[in-house]
């Protein structure tokens, strides 16, 4: 069998295991090991020789230290009450508009994503903070849950972002450049979601009634409360891209700063510190297990020569590069039905990245193309967090809003998905959206 045939069989078996609800890390490791044994003639010795170095080769990578540090920063923010402060700040300025509280929830999600890096954590945390207020103000259940589920995706769109760190490690790209490239698309995503809310409440005003106007002294007080959070974000991003701190150092500074803020504000005590450490350990273990599973899978695929054969086939097929990219994006959307964002990045980048790098897109250099594709892939991956049938953010928010039927929540996210598709199309045809800040700060 050809390498592409072997690779497709491995993928088909992997999809079957995922449908049977086998954990993604274990499923990828199992199918990677099985494929490796088949490709080496049924011998287990090559597999064992590969396994003895696999874990060390991956987990000894110094760049991976960034992941638990960013996760710890998010845990401190969650248990330290910083999410509530962000929501109060944004709602103080927007709550008197029609749909203002829903827009404030989206803005708070973006702010929390700047110190968290996880969409699921952003959705869960902001859902607990914003849902009671949205319900108290009489917002429609579909708008409340839809806005929070979509807003939660900003957790991986606004840097720091764990999937972007993984992408940088897999492609040997600069973490700082990827973070900088994600800032403008992340802001556009936030504004797009707010526009969707505005359109919905203009169409049906009863969905999001306006609240009372907050006095300026209260607004200033709320800003003073969240100003340190903005400082943490600037320290992390500017520190990394400015060159005075590498990603690990900046992440450590950010985690320490969030921890200090949480303790000084009085919202986190010893119990919160312990919960933050345990939450970080559990999330890190899950991510590293998926990393090992993906490494085993990608080792088997590399042995099959599937990525190389596929790249050669695409280049020789004379298909339009734009058509190839659209096909890749569609595959990402379909994969979002059965796996999470991190698994998609780990599984597909070793296959799609060589294909994209071998094609010409708008005359971009290899570095620009690598950064653009990373942001584009991240955008499409985030859609998997809200579109049916999986939509992890949808299930998290719906679990918090028990009085809202799941059907209403999925109905509520559809307008936000339309905003996502418009944004992805814009980035596809105008790569400068993701490159303008990188090029500006290089000068």
């Amino acid at each position: 069998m050809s390498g592409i045939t072997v690779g497709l069989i491995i993928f088909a078996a992997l999809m079957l295991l995922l449908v049977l609800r086998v954990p993604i890390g274990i499923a990828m490791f199992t199918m990677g090991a099985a494929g490796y044994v088949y490709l080496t003639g049924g011998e287990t010795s090559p597999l064992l020789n590969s396994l003895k170095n696999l874990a060390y080769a991956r987990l000894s990578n110094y760049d991976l230290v960034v992941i638990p540090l960013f996760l710890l920063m998010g845990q401190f923010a969650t248990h330290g009450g910083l999410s509530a402060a962000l929501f109060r700040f944004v709602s103080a300025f927007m709550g008197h508009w029609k749909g203002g509280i829903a827009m404030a929830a989206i803005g708070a999600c973006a702010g929390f994503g700047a110190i968290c890096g996880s969409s699921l954590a952003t959705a869960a945390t902001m859902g607990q903070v914003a849902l009671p207020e949205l319900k108290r103000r009489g917002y429609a259940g579909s708008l409340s849950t839809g806005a929070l589920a979509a807003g939660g995706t900003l957790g991986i769109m606004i840097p720091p972002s764990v999937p972007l760190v993984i992408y940088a490690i897999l492609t040997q790209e600069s973490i700082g450049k990827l973070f900088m490239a994600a800032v403008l698309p992340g802001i556009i995503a936030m504004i797009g979601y707010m526009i969707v809310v505005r359109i919905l409440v203009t169409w049906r005003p009863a969905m999001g009634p306006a609240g009372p106007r907050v006095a300026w002294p209260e607004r200033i007080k709320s800003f003073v409360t969240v100003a340190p959070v903005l400082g943490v974000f600037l320290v992390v991003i500017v520190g990394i891209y400015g060159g005075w701190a590498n990603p690990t150092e900046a992440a450590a500074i950010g985690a320490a700063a969030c921890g200090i803020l949480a303790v000084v504000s009085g919202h986190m005590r010893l119990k919160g510190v312990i919960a933050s450490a345990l939450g970080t350990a559990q999330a890190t273990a899950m991510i590293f297990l998926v990393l090992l599973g993906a490494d085993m899978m990608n080792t088997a695929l590399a042995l099959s020569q599937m990525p190389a054969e596929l790249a050669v086939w695409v280049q020789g097929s004379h298909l339009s590069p734009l058509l190839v990219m659209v096909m890749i994006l569609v595959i990402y959307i379909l994969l979002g039905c059965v796996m999470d964002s991190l698994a998609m990045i780990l599984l597909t980048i070793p296959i799609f990245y060589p294909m994209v790098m071998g094609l010409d897109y708008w005359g971009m250099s290899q570095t620009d193309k690598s950064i653009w594709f990373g942001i584009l892939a991240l955008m499409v991956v985030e859609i998997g967090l809200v579109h049916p049938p999986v939509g992890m953010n949808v299930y998290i928010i719906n679990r918090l809003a028990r009085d809202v039927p799941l059907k209403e929540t999925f109905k509520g996210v559809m307008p936000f998905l339309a905003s996502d598709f418009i944004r992805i199309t814009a980035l596809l045809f105008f790569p400068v959206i993701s490159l303008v800040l990188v090029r500006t700060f290089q000068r």
Side-chain angles (χ1 to χ4, degrees):
M1 290 188 290
S2 68
I4 293 180
T5 303
V6 173
L8 290 176
I9 291 174
I10 293 175
F11 265 107
L14 175 63
M15 293 300 110
L16 177 61
L17 289 180
L18 294 179
V19 170
L20 295 175
R21 303 185 68 82
V22 176
I24 180 67
I26 296 174
M28 287 195 291
F29 191 91
T30 301
M31 294 318 306
Y36 196 99
V37 170
Y38 171 79
L39 291 166
T40 53
E43 296 290 333
T44 58
S45 296
L47 174 64
L48 296 176
N49 287 330
S50 176
L51 288 178
K52 70 181 182 182
N53 297 319
L54 187 69
Y56 179 79
R58 169 55 67 195
L59 301 182
S60 62
N61 188 333
Y62 179 71
D63 290 339
L64 285 178
V65 179
V66 170
I67 294 176
L69 288 173
F70 279 142
L71 292 174
L72 182 61
M73 186 165 68
Q75 288 286 331
F76 282 152
T78 300
H79 293 284
L82 298 181
S83 55
L86 283 165
F87 179 67
R88 285 195 299 269
F89 164 65
V90 185
S91 60
F93 284 85
M94 307 180 72
H96 60 282
W97 299 348
K98 288 181 180 179
I101 301 298
M103 287 188 273
I106 291 169
C109 284
F112 191 75
I115 52 175
C116 178
S118 166
S119 284
L120 299 183
T122 300
T125 304
M126 295 311 306
Q128 293 173 0
V129 172
L131 278 173
E133 182 67 11
L134 288 163
K135 185 178 180 180
R136 187 176 71 83
R137 296 288 184 91
Y139 276 64
S142 59
L143 177 60
S144 301
T145 54
L148 282 166
T153 64
L154 298 173
I156 61 171
M157 196 65 237
I158 302 287
S161 168
V162 172
L164 271 186
V165 172
I166 297 298
Y167 177 87
I169 292 172
L170 291 176
T171 61
Q172 301 298 307
E173 192 54 74
S174 165
I175 294 176
K177 288 183 179 180
L178 285 167
F179 280 3
M180 187 62 71
V183 171
L184 186 56
I187 293 173
I188 292 173
M190 177 190 71
I191 294 173
Y193 291 158
M194 289 182 177
I195 291 173
V196 168
V197 172
R198 190 66 179 176
I199 292 172
L200 290 174
V201 297
T202 301
W203 175 44
R204 291 184 178 177
M207 293 183 73
R213 185 182 295 271
V214 176
W216 272 103
E218 189 65 28
R219 293 182 180 182
I220 295 172
K221 182 180 177 181
S222 66
F223 172 74
V224 171
T225 305
V226 301
V229 177
L230 178 61
V232 171
F233 172 75
L234 291 176
V235 165
V236 172
I237 302 303
V238 177
I240 293 174
Y241 201 72
W244 57 265
N246 64 39
T248 304
E249 292 166 346
I253 293 170
C258 278
I260 293 170
L261 286 173
V263 172
V264 170
S265 65
H267 290 95
M268 189 170 71
R269 292 292 182 262
L270 180 60
K271 184 178 179 180
V273 174
I274 294 173
S276 298
L278 287 175
T280 301
Q282 291 168 352
T284 302
M286 181 274 292
I287 291 173
F288 283 6
L289 176 61
V290 175
L291 272 171
L292 290 177
D295 274 352
M296 187 71 258
M297 183 86 169
N298 292 328
T299 299
L301 292 176
L303 191 62
S304 73
Q305 296 295 308
M306 177 190 177
E309 287 185 17
L310 200 56
V312 171
W313 178 82
V314 168
Q315 292 176 7
S317 65
H318 303 296
L319 292 173
S320 163
L322 195 59
L323 177 60
V324 173
M325 183 60 72
V326 170
M327 291 168 62
I328 290 174
L329 299 182
V330 170
I331 291 172
Y332 272 126
I333 292 173
L334 294 176
L335 287 177
C337 296
V338 292
M339 63 177 65
D340 61 27
S341 56
L342 184 63
M344 277 193 278
I345 291 290
L346 285 166
L347 186 62
T348 59
I349 291 304
I351 297 171
F352 292 154
Y353 187 78
M355 293 167 49
V356 172
M357 291 299 102
L359 298 173
D360 177 48
Y361 289 96
W362 321 116
M364 287 188 288
S365 66
Q366 291 294 94
T367 299
D368 285 351
K369 192 161 45 176
S370 175
I371 294 171
W372 169 67
F373 178 59
I375 304 303
L376 193 59
L378 185 69
M379 278 189 178
V380 185
V381 161
E382 78 178 27
I383 291 179
L385 294 167
V386 290
H387 81 67
V390 178
M392 290 300 297
N393 277 13
V394 173
Y395 287 100
I396 287 174
I397 295 297
N398 195 255
R399 194 179 302 125
L400 297 173
R402 297 184 181 276
D403 58 326
V404 181
L406 182 61
K407 180 181 177 182
E408 284 296 304
T409 305
F410 272 120
K411 180 181 175 182
V413 301
M414 291 304 167
F416 298 97
L417 281 175
S419 172
D420 285 331
F421 283 115
I422 292 172
R423 177 164 41 93
I424 289 167
T425 303
L427 182 60
L428 180 62
F429 287 97
F430 302 100
V432 69
I433 294 172
S434 62
L435 299 173
V436 61
L437 289 181
V438 179
R439 292 171 177 172
T440 299
F441 286 95
Q442 273 182 334
R443 298 191 180 109

